[in-house]
Amino acid sequence: MRYEKIANSFYRENRKKFAEKILPNSVAIFSTNDPLPTNADGTFGFIQNSTFFYLTGIDQEDGYLIIDKRKTPHQEILFIRETNEKIRVWEGEMLSKEEASEISGIENVEWSSAFWQKIEQYLNNCLNIYTHIDLNQGKGTAFRSREKYLTTLLKRKFQNKNFINSSEIIDNLRIIKHPLEIIQIRKAIEITKLGFERAAKFLKVGIYEFELEAEISHEFYKGRSRNHAFQPIMASGKNACVLHYITNNEICNNNEMVLMDFGAEYGNYKADMTRTLPINGKFSERQAEVYQSVLYVMQAIKKQMVVGNTIEDLKKETQNLIGKELVKLGICSASELLKDPKTILKYFPHGVSHHLGLDVHDVGDRKRPLETGMLLTLEPGIYINEENLGIRLENDILITKNGNEDLMKDIPLEIIEIENLMKK
């Protein structure tokens, strides 16, 4: 296998917890993602729907899950794609019913071709139908996922039923990470560490940003990661002041820095890390000054990532600390910040943390107090367009009963560590 699978007891427990929270006389329906098309008959490849994976562990397209709470205990049916002769020739074997049952822990497995024939008997005698619609997926675009299309079809077919979006229930389950999930994320982080170390040793004046990306990709694929967790950012010089710079097409110049924001995926779980390095291997006095300011803020905020705090409050405190560092760095005066506190946003325009898991920007309410088992990023930065200098640092932090654990504590971060790594 490309990655080691989680025991099916994890998926069984997830379905049980979900079923306990939905209304009686209800049926819930979930769907896989579709491979997204490019042009002609090409695709971008397949990435599984995170919720479907969370409930089943199934990692192939054209599938459905039914959770039926009309009886106690609840009933479960998994529908998977059958391997026909054409699929066998062009794509290879899909999962057998036995394999899908072993992965998911679901005894009743049917072929997806029978889904619409079987669905009537499950929905005719129920009151509520739960479907899952991720309200953030494709936000700001006309994109319509398979989930949304499925919900539209079901609403047309069963107009007398009460439809409920299951996302709030699922999101509240997913926000607390199971120890088995943390194991997968630790593996993604270890692969990320190897990619970073390879890139840092390779970095030198005159290379292209995409060459750094290539070095990281090599280590990822060798480490059994199927993909980057997101489109990697390799932003040198002024490009580092563009928050989501992904063209990675410029030359790395002497006396500049390169901001690398990337992470590996392992078994659908994601890592997310940012490091900013001097391209020539040695921090200038000014680069070190700004870097230390960002590092100081990072270390201060990490101490506040504890049970009971919120992401919103962490952001407010980060802005406060960044403001003080901007004054120390001579970028603006204390009177300027007092007159217009929004000046800080010019140099620190983004948030400081987000949830992490099956998605890079994982589910979770930013106003919800932090709890044991939550996994978040920590990513302060200072961006000075006038100096073609942007520095961001980012680690992944697990909230624990007695504080937190920095899952990236073994990845070089201090100036001396970075410079020594680049000498190798």
Side-chain angles (χ1 to χ4, degrees):
M1 296 299 298
R2 184 68 174 255
Y3 61 87
E4 294 181 16
K5 294 188 179 297
I6 295 176
N8 66 26
S9 57
F10 170 72
Y11 305 111
R12 291 201 306 268
E13 185 64 22
N14 292 344
R15 295 191 298 272
K16 179 183 176 183
K17 288 179 180 177
F18 171 78
E20 288 171 349
K21 293 185 178 296
I22 64 176
L23 295 171
N25 199 10
S26 299
V27 174
I29 305 172
F30 300 90
S31 170
T32 60
N33 278 341
D34 284 324
L36 292 178
T38 52
N39 297 294
D41 61 349
T43 72
F44 286 105
F46 178 71
I47 297 176
Q48 186 57 287
N49 178 287
S50 295
T51 292
F52 192 87
F53 185 82
Y54 181 77
L55 293 173
T56 68
I58 299 298
D59 209 359
Q60 67 181 35
E61 68 271 27
D62 191 19
Y64 302 92
L65 169 67
I66 293 177
I67 296 178
D68 184 349
K69 199 181 175 180
R70 290 174 301 169
K71 298 179 182 179
T72 302
H74 71 275
Q75 306 297 305
E76 304 170 344
I77 305 177
L78 175 65
F79 294 83
I80 61 167
R81 190 182 192 191
E82 183 179 10
T83 306
N84 58 33
E85 191 57 34
K86 182 178 179 181
I87 289 173
R88 184 176 288 109
V89 170
W90 288 92
E91 301 177 43
E93 296 284 345
M94 300 289 106
L95 292 172
S96 68
K97 290 182 179 180
E98 293 73 22
E99 289 169 332
S101 181
E102 175 59 30
I103 292 168
S104 65
I106 298 173
E107 294 182 6
N108 191 353
V109 181
E110 303 280 352
W111 298 127
S112 56
S113 57
F115 174 75
W116 286 104
Q117 296 172 350
K118 299 262 187 179
I119 197 67
E120 298 230 16
Q121 71 185 79
Y122 290 100
L123 298 185
N124 276 337
N125 299 319
C126 73
L127 179 62
N128 308 296
I129 299 175
Y130 284 81
T131 60
H132 185 266
I133 299 177
D134 182 349
L135 299 177
N136 291 312
Q137 187 182 41
K139 197 172 183 179
T141 72
F143 173 74
R144 184 170 69 166
S145 67
R146 184 184 177 107
E147 287 181 321
K148 292 179 182 177
Y149 184 58
L150 173 63
T151 300
T152 299
L153 292 179
L154 290 171
K155 284 183 175 180
R156 288 176 186 168
K157 193 173 183 64
F158 302 96
Q159 296 181 20
N160 62 331
K161 304 298 182 183
N162 179 38
F163 280 82
I164 303 172
N165 188 357
S166 63
S167 63
E168 183 176 352
I169 295 173
I170 290 291
D171 291 358
N172 283 329
L173 293 175
R174 282 179 53 190
I175 196 173
I176 305 298
K177 303 303 183 285
H178 190 280
L180 291 173
E181 295 181 284
I182 298 301
I183 289 173
Q184 300 296 80
I185 292 167
R186 287 185 191 276
K187 290 177 180 176
I189 288 172
E190 178 58 29
I191 298 167
T192 302
K193 176 177 184 284
L194 294 173
F196 168 66
E197 291 174 344
R198 182 186 181 103
K201 295 172 185 176
F202 176 80
L203 179 60
K204 57 183 176 292
V205 175
I207 68 167
Y208 281 92
E209 295 163 342
F210 59 74
E211 293 183 82
L212 280 177
E213 180 181 343
E215 293 296 310
I216 293 168
S217 298
H218 175 92
E219 206 65 47
F220 280 12
Y221 299 140
K222 192 171 74 170
R224 300 171 77 180
S225 172
R226 294 176 301 176
N227 301 293
H228 286 263
F230 52 94
Q231 287 187 282
I233 297 168
M234 302 288 136
S236 64
K238 66 181 184 303
N239 298 328
C241 296
V242 180
L243 300 182
H244 285 170
Y245 171 84
I246 56 172
T247 51
N248 302 344
N249 202 34
E250 300 289 336
I251 290 176
C252 296
N253 296 313
N254 193 25
N255 299 319
E256 291 186 338
M257 302 192 77
V258 59
L259 186 157
M260 303 191 297
D261 187 343
F262 63 99
E265 171 267 4
Y266 182 84
N268 290 292
Y269 287 89
K270 313 296 192 293
D272 188 2
M273 185 189 79
T274 307
R275 292 293 185 269
T276 311
L277 280 61
I279 291 168
N280 63 14
K282 183 73 176 176
F283 285 80
S284 70
E285 184 176 343
R286 179 57 169 175
Q287 289 169 349
E289 193 177 31
V290 179
Y291 190 98
Q292 283 298 147
S293 284
V294 177
L295 182 58
Y296 165 75
V297 173
M298 185 183 200
Q299 292 168 337
I301 295 300
K302 183 162 68 172
K303 294 177 183 177
Q304 299 182 36
M305 296 182 74
V306 296
V307 171
N309 209 340
T310 67
I311 291 178
E312 279 200 341
D313 287 341
L314 291 172
K315 180 179 179 179
K316 291 175 184 176
E317 182 57 20
T318 302
Q319 290 174 336
N320 178 49
L321 292 175
I322 291 285
K324 292 177 180 179
E325 292 303 309
L326 293 176
V327 173
K328 289 181 184 177
L329 293 168
I331 294 171
C332 53
S333 66
S335 59
E336 285 179 273
L337 294 183
L338 190 61
K339 183 178 179 181
D340 184 9
K342 290 186 177 180
T343 300
I344 294 170
L345 300 180
K346 177 182 177 183
Y347 301 98
F348 176 59
H350 59 79
V352 72
S353 182
H354 58 77
H355 291 279
L356 181 70
L358 281 168
D359 295 307
V360 177
H361 289 171
D362 209 33
V363 295
D365 184 352
R366 293 170 185 265
K367 297 179 182 178
R368 176 172 168 173
L370 302 184
E371 300 173 39
T372 300
M374 288 185 178
L375 179 64
L376 307 104
T377 63
L378 170 59
E379 48 182 312
I382 293 176
Y383 310 88
I384 314 170
N385 275 284
E386 301 83 358
E387 301 179 29
N388 292 335
L389 178 62
I391 295 176
R392 181 167 68 250
L393 302 173
E394 179 182 19
N395 278 6
D396 301 338
I397 311 296
L398 176 65
I399 305 302
T400 63
K401 183 179 179 180
N402 299 314
N404 64 61
E405 180 186 356
D406 186 343
L407 301 185
M408 291 182 164
K409 62 182 179 298
D410 295 328
I411 302 177
L413 183 64
E414 299 282 349
I415 286 178
I416 187 65
E417 294 176 321
I418 296 295
E419 291 184 340
N420 286 341
L421 175 62
M422 295 182 71
K423 288 177 184 177
K424 294 180 181 179

mmCIF file with all atom_site columns, all heavy atoms in Angstrom, residues 326-340:
data_model
loop_
_atom_site.group_PDB
_atom_site.id
_atom_site.type_symbol
_atom_site.label_atom_id
_atom_site.label_alt_id
_atom_site.label_comp_id
_atom_site.label_asym_id
_atom_site.label_entity_id
_atom_site.label_seq_id
_atom_site.pdbx_PDB_ins_code
_atom_site.Cartn_x
_atom_site.Cartn_y
_atom_site.Cartn_z
_atom_site.occupancy
_atom_site.B_iso_or_equiv
_atom_site.pdbx_formal_charge
_atom_site.auth_seq_id
_atom_site.auth_comp_id
_atom_site.auth_asym_id
_atom_site.auth_atom_id
_atom_site.pdbx_PDB_model_num
ATOM 1   N N   . LEU A 1 326 ? 7.143  45.837 15.090 1.00 0.00 ? 326 LEU A N   1
ATOM 2   C CA  . LEU A 1 326 ? 7.273  46.799 13.986 1.00 0.00 ? 326 LEU A CA  1
ATOM 3   C C   . LEU A 1 326 ? 7.925  48.092 14.469 1.00 0.00 ? 326 LEU A C   1
ATOM 4   O O   . LEU A 1 326 ? 8.734  48.703 13.752 1.00 0.00 ? 326 LEU A O   1
ATOM 5   C CB  . LEU A 1 326 ? 5.900  47.100 13.381 1.00 0.00 ? 326 LEU A CB  1
ATOM 6   C CG  . LEU A 1 326 ? 5.203  45.941 12.645 1.00 0.00 ? 326 LEU A CG  1
ATOM 7   C CD1 . LEU A 1 326 ? 3.810  46.363 12.188 1.00 0.00 ? 326 LEU A CD1 1
ATOM 8   C CD2 . LEU A 1 326 ? 6.029  45.461 11.460 1.00 0.00 ? 326 LEU A CD2 1
ATOM 9   N N   . VAL A 1 327 ? 7.597  48.492 15.667 1.00 0.00 ? 327 VAL A N   1
ATOM 10  C CA  . VAL A 1 327 ? 8.216  49.694 16.250 1.00 0.00 ? 327 VAL A CA  1
ATOM 11  C C   . VAL A 1 327 ? 9.699  49.445 16.492 1.00 0.00 ? 327 VAL A C   1
ATOM 12  O O   . VAL A 1 327 ? 10.555 50.275 16.146 1.00 0.00 ? 327 VAL A O   1
ATOM 13  C CB  . VAL A 1 327 ? 7.503  50.095 17.557 1.00 0.00 ? 327 VAL A CB  1
ATOM 14  C CG1 . VAL A 1 327 ? 8.255  51.242 18.242 1.00 0.00 ? 327 VAL A CG1 1
ATOM 15  C CG2 . VAL A 1 327 ? 6.054  50.492 17.278 1.00 0.00 ? 327 VAL A CG2 1
ATOM 16  N N   . LYS A 1 328 ? 10.034 48.298 17.077 1.00 0.00 ? 328 LYS A N   1
ATOM 17  C CA  . LYS A 1 328 ? 11.436 47.957 17.332 1.00 0.00 ? 328 LYS A CA  1
ATOM 18  C C   . LYS A 1 328 ? 12.256 47.907 16.047 1.00 0.00 ? 328 LYS A C   1
ATOM 19  O O   . LYS A 1 328 ? 13.432 48.284 16.024 1.00 0.00 ? 328 LYS A O   1
ATOM 20  C CB  . LYS A 1 328 ? 11.522 46.596 18.034 1.00 0.00 ? 328 LYS A CB  1
ATOM 21  C CG  . LYS A 1 328 ? 11.041 46.581 19.466 1.00 0.00 ? 328 LYS A CG  1
ATOM 22  C CD  . LYS A 1 328 ? 11.198 45.185 20.050 1.00 0.00 ? 328 LYS A CD  1
ATOM 23  C CE  . LYS A 1 328 ? 10.633 45.098 21.449 1.00 0.00 ? 328 LYS A CE  1
ATOM 24  N NZ  . LYS A 1 328 ? 10.724 43.719 21.995 1.00 0.00 ? 328 LYS A NZ  1
ATOM 25  N N   . LEU A 1 329 ? 11.601 47.444 14.975 1.00 0.00 ? 329 LEU A N   1
ATOM 26  C CA  . LEU A 1 329 ? 12.295 47.299 13.694 1.00 0.00 ? 329 LEU A CA  1
ATOM 27  C C   . LEU A 1 329 ? 12.388 48.620 12.931 1.00 0.00 ? 329 LEU A C   1
ATOM 28  O O   . LEU A 1 329 ? 12.988 48.676 11.857 1.00 0.00 ? 329 LEU A O   1
ATOM 29  C CB  . LEU A 1 329 ? 11.585 46.259 12.828 1.00 0.00 ? 329 LEU A CB  1
ATOM 30  C CG  . LEU A 1 329 ? 11.646 44.807 13.333 1.00 0.00 ? 329 LEU A CG  1
ATOM 31  C CD1 . LEU A 1 329 ? 10.674 43.924 12.557 1.00 0.00 ? 329 LEU A CD1 1
ATOM 32  C CD2 . LEU A 1 329 ? 13.070 44.260 13.222 1.00 0.00 ? 329 LEU A CD2 1
ATOM 33  N N   . GLY A 1 330 ? 11.781 49.666 13.459 1.00 0.00 ? 330 GLY A N   1
ATOM 34  C CA  . GLY A 1 330 ? 11.837 50.979 12.807 1.00 0.00 ? 330 GLY A CA  1
ATOM 35  C C   . GLY A 1 330 ? 10.928 51.091 11.604 1.00 0.00 ? 330 GLY A C   1
ATOM 36  O O   . GLY A 1 330 ? 11.095 51.982 10.763 1.00 0.00 ? 330 GLY A O   1
ATOM 37  N N   . ILE A 1 331 ? 9.962  50.208 11.498 1.00 0.00 ? 331 ILE A N   1
ATOM 38  C CA  . ILE A 1 331 ? 9.061  50.216 10.347 1.00 0.00 ? 331 ILE A CA  1
ATOM 39  C C   . ILE A 1 331 ? 7.971  51.267 10.524 1.00 0.00 ? 331 ILE A C   1
ATOM 40  O O   . ILE A 1 331 ? 7.531  51.895 9.563  1.00 0.00 ? 331 ILE A O   1
ATOM 41  C CB  . ILE A 1 331 ? 8.464  48.806 10.144 1.00 0.00 ? 331 ILE A CB  1
ATOM 42  C CG1 . ILE A 1 331 ? 9.581  47.827 9.760  1.00 0.00 ? 331 ILE A CG1 1
ATOM 43  C CG2 . ILE A 1 331 ? 7.367  48.818 9.078  1.00 0.00 ? 331 ILE A CG2 1
ATOM 44  C CD1 . ILE A 1 331 ? 9.159  46.380 9.746  1.00 0.00 ? 331 ILE A CD1 1
ATOM 45  N N   . CYS A 1 332 ? 7.517  51.427 11.741 1.00 0.00 ? 332 CYS A N   1
ATOM 46  C CA  . CYS A 1 332 ? 6.547  52.476 12.053 1.00 0.00 ? 332 CYS A CA  1
ATOM 47  C C   . CYS A 1 332 ? 6.734  52.884 13.511 1.00 0.00 ? 332 CYS A C   1
ATOM 48  O O   . CYS A 1 332 ? 7.406  52.197 14.283 1.00 0.00 ? 332 CYS A O   1
ATOM 49  C CB  . CYS A 1 332 ? 5.111  52.031 11.774 1.00 0.00 ? 332 CYS A CB  1
ATOM 50  S SG  . CYS A 1 332 ? 4.660  50.489 12.578 1.00 0.00 ? 332 CYS A SG  1
ATOM 51  N N   . SER A 1 333 ? 6.142  53.987 13.886 1.00 0.00 ? 333 SER A N   1
ATOM 52  C CA  . SER A 1 333 ? 6.296  54.503 15.243 1.00 0.00 ? 333 SER A CA  1
ATOM 53  C C   . SER A 1 333 ? 5.104  54.099 16.103 1.00 0.00 ? 333 SER A C   1
ATOM 54  O O   . SER A 1 333 ? 4.028  53.751 15.596 1.00 0.00 ? 333 SER A O   1
ATOM 55  C CB  . SER A 1 333 ? 6.416  56.029 15.221 1.00 0.00 ? 333 SER A CB  1
ATOM 56  O OG  . SER A 1 333 ? 5.201  56.609 14.780 1.00 0.00 ? 333 SER A OG  1
ATOM 57  N N   . ALA A 1 334 ? 5.310  54.179 17.403 1.00 0.00 ? 334 ALA A N   1
ATOM 58  C CA  . ALA A 1 334 ? 4.231  53.858 18.330 1.00 0.00 ? 334 ALA A CA  1
ATOM 59  C C   . ALA A 1 334 ? 3.062  54.818 18.159 1.00 0.00 ? 334 ALA A C   1
ATOM 60  O O   . ALA A 1 334 ? 1.901  54.415 18.266 1.00 0.00 ? 334 ALA A O   1
ATOM 61  C CB  . ALA A 1 334 ? 4.757  53.896 19.764 1.00 0.00 ? 334 ALA A CB  1
ATOM 62  N N   . SER A 1 335 ? 3.365  56.070 17.857 1.00 0.00 ? 335 SER A N   1
ATOM 63  C CA  . SER A 1 335 ? 2.287  57.063 17.675 1.00 0.00 ? 335 SER A CA  1
ATOM 64  C C   . SER A 1 335 ? 1.465  56.749 16.417 1.00 0.00 ? 335 SER A C   1
ATOM 65  O O   . SER A 1 335 ? 0.253  56.946 16.402 1.00 0.00 ? 335 SER A O   1
ATOM 66  C CB  . SER A 1 335 ? 2.876  58.470 17.587 1.00 0.00 ? 335 SER A CB  1
ATOM 67  O OG  . SER A 1 335 ? 3.786  58.575 16.498 1.00 0.00 ? 335 SER A OG  1
ATOM 68  N N   . GLU A 1 336 ? 2.127  56.247 15.367 1.00 0.00 ? 336 GLU A N   1
ATOM 69  C CA  . GLU A 1 336 ? 1.411  55.856 14.152 1.00 0.00 ? 336 GLU A CA  1
ATOM 70  C C   . GLU A 1 336 ? 0.428  54.728 14.440 1.00 0.00 ? 336 GLU A C   1
ATOM 71  O O   . GLU A 1 336 ? -0.729 54.748 13.992 1.00 0.00 ? 336 GLU A O   1
ATOM 72  C CB  . GLU A 1 336 ? 2.394  55.400 13.070 1.00 0.00 ? 336 GLU A CB  1
ATOM 73  C CG  . GLU A 1 336 ? 3.161  56.504 12.370 1.00 0.00 ? 336 GLU A CG  1
ATOM 74  C CD  . GLU A 1 336 ? 4.114  55.927 11.333 1.00 0.00 ? 336 GLU A CD  1
ATOM 75  O OE1 . GLU A 1 336 ? 5.245  55.580 11.697 1.00 0.00 ? 336 GLU A OE1 1
ATOM 76  O OE2 . GLU A 1 336 ? 3.700  55.817 10.165 1.00 0.00 ? 336 GLU A OE2 1
ATOM 77  N N   . LEU A 1 337 ? 0.883  53.743 15.216 1.00 0.00 ? 337 LEU A N   1
ATOM 78  C CA  . LEU A 1 337 ? 0.018  52.611 15.538 1.00 0.00 ? 337 LEU A CA  1
ATOM 79  C C   . LEU A 1 337 ? -1.125 53.029 16.451 1.00 0.00 ? 337 LEU A C   1
ATOM 80  O O   . LEU A 1 337 ? -2.236 52.507 16.345 1.00 0.00 ? 337 LEU A O   1
ATOM 81  C CB  . LEU A 1 337 ? 0.827  51.495 16.202 1.00 0.00 ? 337 LEU A CB  1
ATOM 82  C CG  . LEU A 1 337 ? 1.878  50.807 15.336 1.00 0.00 ? 337 LEU A CG  1
ATOM 83  C CD1 . LEU A 1 337 ? 2.543  49.674 16.104 1.00 0.00 ? 337 LEU A CD1 1
ATOM 84  C CD2 . LEU A 1 337 ? 1.259  50.272 14.058 1.00 0.00 ? 337 LEU A CD2 1
ATOM 85  N N   . LEU A 1 338 ? -0.831 53.968 17.346 1.00 0.00 ? 338 LEU A N   1
ATOM 86  C CA  . LEU A 1 338 ? -1.880 54.469 18.242 1.00 0.00 ? 338 LEU A CA  1
ATOM 87  C C   . LEU A 1 338 ? -2.942 55.212 17.451 1.00 0.00 ? 338 LEU A C   1
ATOM 88  O O   . LEU A 1 338 ? -4.137 55.083 17.715 1.00 0.00 ? 338 LEU A O   1
ATOM 89  C CB  . LEU A 1 338 ? -1.253 55.384 19.308 1.00 0.00 ? 338 LEU A CB  1
ATOM 90  C CG  . LEU A 1 338 ? -2.168 55.802 20.467 1.00 0.00 ? 338 LEU A CG  1
ATOM 91  C CD1 . LEU A 1 338 ? -2.640 54.571 21.245 1.00 0.00 ? 338 LEU A CD1 1
ATOM 92  C CD2 . LEU A 1 338 ? -1.447 56.776 21.385 1.00 0.00 ? 338 LEU A CD2 1
ATOM 93  N N   . LYS A 1 339 ? -2.489 55.969 16.461 1.00 0.00 ? 339 LYS A N   1
ATOM 94  C CA  . LYS A 1 339 ? -3.407 56.746 15.623 1.00 0.00 ? 339 LYS A CA  1
ATOM 95  C C   . LYS A 1 339 ? -4.213 55.840 14.698 1.00 0.00 ? 339 LYS A C   1
ATOM 96  O O   . LYS A 1 339 ? -5.420 56.050 14.483 1.00 0.00 ? 339 LYS A O   1
ATOM 97  C CB  . LYS A 1 339 ? -2.608 57.760 14.798 1.00 0.00 ? 339 LYS A CB  1
ATOM 98  C CG  . LYS A 1 339 ? -3.471 58.674 13.940 1.00 0.00 ? 339 LYS A CG  1
ATOM 99  C CD  . LYS A 1 339 ? -2.600 59.679 13.192 1.00 0.00 ? 339 LYS A CD  1
ATOM 100 C CE  . LYS A 1 339 ? -3.459 60.583 12.312 1.00 0.00 ? 339 LYS A CE  1
ATOM 101 N NZ  . LYS A 1 339 ? -2.615 61.555 11.549 1.00 0.00 ? 339 LYS A NZ  1
ATOM 102 N N   . ASP A 1 340 ? -3.559 54.836 14.133 1.00 0.00 ? 340 ASP A N   1
ATOM 103 C CA  . ASP A 1 340 ? -4.234 53.921 13.205 1.00 0.00 ? 340 ASP A CA  1
ATOM 104 C C   . ASP A 1 340 ? -3.731 52.498 13.431 1.00 0.00 ? 340 ASP A C   1
ATOM 105 O O   . ASP A 1 340 ? -2.785 52.048 12.785 1.00 0.00 ? 340 ASP A O   1
ATOM 106 C CB  . ASP A 1 340 ? -3.978 54.337 11.756 1.00 0.00 ? 340 ASP A CB  1
ATOM 107 C CG  . ASP A 1 340 ? -4.753 53.459 10.766 1.00 0.00 ? 340 ASP A CG  1
ATOM 108 O OD1 . ASP A 1 340 ? -5.603 52.663 11.217 1.00 0.00 ? 340 ASP A OD1 1
ATOM 109 O OD2 . ASP A 1 340 ? -4.489 53.560 9.555  1.00 0.00 ? 340 ASP A OD2 1
#
